């Protein structure tokens, strides 16, 4: 074999046969990321591992049986020992979190569920540090993203993560927020799925108005963005595809605007760093966060989870994944986490409704971006709108 284009499905299967558990999962994640980038860079025509099963994902921790728990508590005489047993046995708090937990980290709230079988639900959550909590519905920091190459933003003289993409590296993470489960019943109004675009600050950008954004955060794409936020999103998607053109794309224009938009308007396979993020708004717990190498153009992978192969992953660092299990869908924030990861299982119909809502938000953004382009890029409006539709894998509507 002399080129990746000679790889077949049998080669993929031979590579994955053997290792199980974390090793097999990490190998599958690496192959998905590699082939996704190779296809985006047009070194491959077909991504053979797009829907590669992740396998061996950890389910939701189950409480210790009451009789066993009672025996453990009887043997623990100190209050802190009993408290530690409750955290570990009932709420699945990792050992590292128990050792470093502070009293101020515990947030206890009372919630009344509309279901008569659940008149009062107790929810306990380890409070994340202030820096990791989102202060805006529009944009939120990404504390769980370790670096893909370096923690510093790229400069004009430094190479990016991938030679020809505009995908910047991510910073080192802070301490992770950890969900502590206590028989919490989730309702559709609690879980939210949003299309998010990975962004970074561009203080020197002057081709059109953009908003003030922090680097390595996310911008939620919907139909309620301000003109400056739409400008930020268009700038980011164009920059993701801003590299030296191939011969068939023609020479790059000499004017600054035409040069910046050239890749977006001429590339056959576009990339928009981000994806669909799933959050429990009651506890600010993230269950799916787009990782490095994941793009919004692959949002239809969620349809594969529901109606196709039954599983999909969404980049790495974190290695978020979704897997169909019977009539539920299991969401895992980081399948490769060594110290545990937030996991939840939702009914398939609820996930289907979430995907439909996120798709509607994405379409609303595209419509808003079309109107924005007519006002700010009148000579390129039609071409930019069509390119954004391709970057988001949406069809244009009249």
């Amino acid at each position: 074999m002399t080129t990746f284009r000679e790889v077949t499905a049998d080669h993929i299967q031979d590579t994955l046969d053997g290792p199980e558990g974390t090793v097999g999962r990490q190998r599958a994640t690496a192959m998905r990321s590699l082939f996704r980038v190779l296809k985006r860079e047009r070194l491959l025509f077909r991504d053979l591992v797009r829907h590669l099963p992740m396998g061996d994902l950890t389910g939701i921790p189950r409480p210790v049986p009451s009789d066993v728990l009672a025996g453990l508590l009887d043997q623990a005489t100190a209050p802190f020992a009993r408290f530690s047993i409750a955290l570990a046995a009932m709420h699945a708090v990792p050992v590292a979190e128990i050792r470093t937990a502070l009293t101020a980290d515990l947030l206890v709230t009372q919630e009344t569920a509309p279901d008569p079988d659940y008149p009062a639900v107790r929810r306990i959550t380890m409070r994340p540090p202030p820096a990791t909590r989102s202060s805006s519905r529009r944009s939120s920091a990404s504390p769980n993203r370790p670096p893909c190459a370096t923690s510093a933003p790229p400069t004009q003289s430094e190479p990016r993560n991938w030679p020809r993409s505009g995908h910047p590296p991510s910073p080192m993470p802070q301490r992770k927020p950890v969900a502590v489960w206590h028989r919490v019943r989730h309702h559709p109004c609690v879980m939210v799925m949003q299309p998010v675009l990975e962004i970074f600050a561009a203080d020197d950008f002057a081709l059109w108005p953009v908003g003030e954004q922090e680097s390595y955060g996310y911008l939620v794409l919907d139909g309620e963005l301000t003109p400056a936020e739409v400008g930020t999103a268009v700038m980011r998607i164009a920059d993701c595809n801003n590299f030296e053109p191939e011969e068939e794309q023609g020479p790059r224009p000499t004017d600054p605007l035409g040069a910046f938009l050239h890749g977006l308007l001429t590339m056959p396979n576009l990339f928009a760093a981000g994806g669909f993020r799933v959050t429990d708004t009651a506890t600010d717990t993230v269950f799916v966060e787009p990782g490095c190498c994941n793009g919004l153009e692959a949002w239809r992978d969620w349809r594969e989870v529901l109606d196709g192969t039954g599983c999909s992953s969404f980049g790495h660092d974190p290695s978020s994944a979704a897997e169909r299990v019977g009539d539920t869908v299991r969401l895992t924030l980081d399948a490769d986490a060594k110290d545990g990861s937030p996991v939840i299982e939702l009914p398939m119909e609820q996930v289907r409704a979430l995907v439909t809502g996120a798709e509607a938000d994405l379409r609303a953004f595209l419509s808003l971006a079309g109107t924005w382009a007519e006002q700010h890029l009148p000579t390129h409006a039609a071409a930019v709108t069509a390119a954004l539709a391709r970057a988001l894998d949406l069809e244009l509507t009249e």
Side-chain angles (χ1 to χ4, degrees):
M1 186 184 306
T2 59
T3 173
F4 276 110
R5 294 184 180 183
E6 298 178 22
V7 175
T8 66
D10 290 337
H11 293 133
I12 300 296
Q13 191 60 49
D14 290 343
T15 302
L16 294 178
D17 285 343
E20 299 179 352
T22 300
V23 174
R25 200 163 53 239
Q26 290 176 339
R27 181 173 295 185
T29 300
M31 292 186 66
R32 282 184 55 112
S33 297
L34 173 63
F35 276 77
R36 178 173 290 167
V37 172
L38 290 174
K39 184 176 185 298
R40 189 170 71 239
E41 303 296 341
R42 295 190 297 170
L43 298 176
L44 289 176
F45 297 112
R46 191 161 55 104
D47 185 353
L48 295 173
V49 297
R50 179 175 180 180
H51 303 299
L52 188 69
M54 300 300 296
D56 193 31
L57 296 179
T58 303
I60 297 177
R62 303 299 180 187
V64 173
S66 57
D67 55 339
V68 177
L69 180 60
L72 291 173
L73 293 175
D74 288 341
Q75 298 182 38
T77 56
F80 182 77
R82 296 170 66 87
F83 175 67
S84 298
I85 291 174
L87 288 179
M90 298 175 62
H91 307 300
V93 179
V95 174
E97 290 294 328
I98 295 178
R99 289 175 177 172
T100 59
L102 303 176
T103 304
D105 289 337
L106 292 178
L107 176 63
V108 180
T109 60
Q110 187 77 20
E111 178 181 298
T112 301
D115 192 322
D117 295 333
Y118 296 82
V121 179
R122 199 74 169 174
R123 185 189 301 276
I124 303 178
T125 302
M126 300 298 289
R127 185 197 301 270
T132 69
R133 301 171 71 183
S134 171
S135 59
S136 170
R137 188 189 72 83
R138 295 281 179 229
S139 175
S140 60
S142 178
N144 296 331
R145 296 285 300 277
C148 187
T150 173
S151 59
T155 63
Q156 295 296 326
S157 59
E158 293 176 340
R160 298 179 186 268
N161 285 11
W162 297 101
R164 298 166 50 196
S165 70
H167 195 183
S170 303
M172 290 296 291
Q174 302 287 331
R175 174 184 169 194
K176 290 184 179 180
V178 176
V180 186
W181 303 105
H182 191 144
R183 300 177 183 269
V184 176
R185 179 160 181 165
H186 292 271
H187 298 276
C189 61
V190 175
M191 304 304 298
V192 173
M193 178 181 287
Q194 299 169 306
V196 295
L197 178 70
E198 186 180 7
I199 56 175
F200 59 91
D203 299 331
D204 57 347
F205 186 82
L207 295 178
W208 58 75
V210 296
E212 295 183 2
Q213 304 289 346
E214 296 181 359
S215 291
Y216 314 114
Y218 285 117
L219 179 66
V220 178
L221 302 185
D222 57 26
E224 300 180 6
L225 298 181
T226 66
E229 289 171 330
V230 176
T232 298
V234 176
M235 178 270 294
R236 179 66 180 111
I237 295 174
D239 191 64
C240 282
N241 302 278
N242 183 24
F243 52 82
E244 289 301 319
E246 297 288 344
E247 182 178 352
E248 60 269 24
Q249 296 173 241
R252 185 188 295 270
T254 57
D255 65 291
L257 179 59
F260 182 70
L261 294 175
H262 187 64
L264 177 66
L265 301 183
T266 60
M267 274 286 295
N269 299 312
L270 299 177
F271 173 69
F276 283 4
R277 181 178 60 189
V278 182
T279 308
D280 180 350
T281 57
T283 61
D284 289 334
T285 302
V286 178
F287 290 101
V288 172
E289 182 176 276
C292 183
C293 304
N294 197 71
L296 277 162
E297 75 284 351
W299 69 267
R300 295 181 189 273
D301 285 359
W302 284 96
R303 299 269 181 85
E304 284 292 323
V305 175
L306 296 169
D307 303 314
T309 59
C311 61
S312 188
S313 62
F314 310 102
H316 61 92
D317 300 320
S319 298
S320 290
E323 184 179 28
R324 191 172 66 237
V325 181
D327 58 354
T328 67
V329 176
R330 179 182 302 156
L331 307 179
T332 305
L333 175 62
D334 192 350
D336 294 331
K338 297 181 179 179
D339 57 349
S341 169
V343 179
I344 193 170
E345 291 176 353
L346 300 175
M348 280 188 59
E349 292 310 310
Q350 180 178 347
V351 176
R352 191 181 302 278
L354 291 172
V355 173
T356 300
E359 179 185 353
D361 286 340
L362 206 56
R363 293 184 183 280
F365 163 75
L366 179 61
S367 177
L368 188 64
T371 302
W372 175 93
E374 293 174 354
Q375 298 173 355
H376 294 85
L377 303 172
T379 58
H380 300 281
V384 167
T385 304
L388 292 175
R390 290 192 294 113
L392 302 177
D393 195 12
L394 296 173
E395 67 280 356
L396 283 175
T397 58
E398 296 296 335

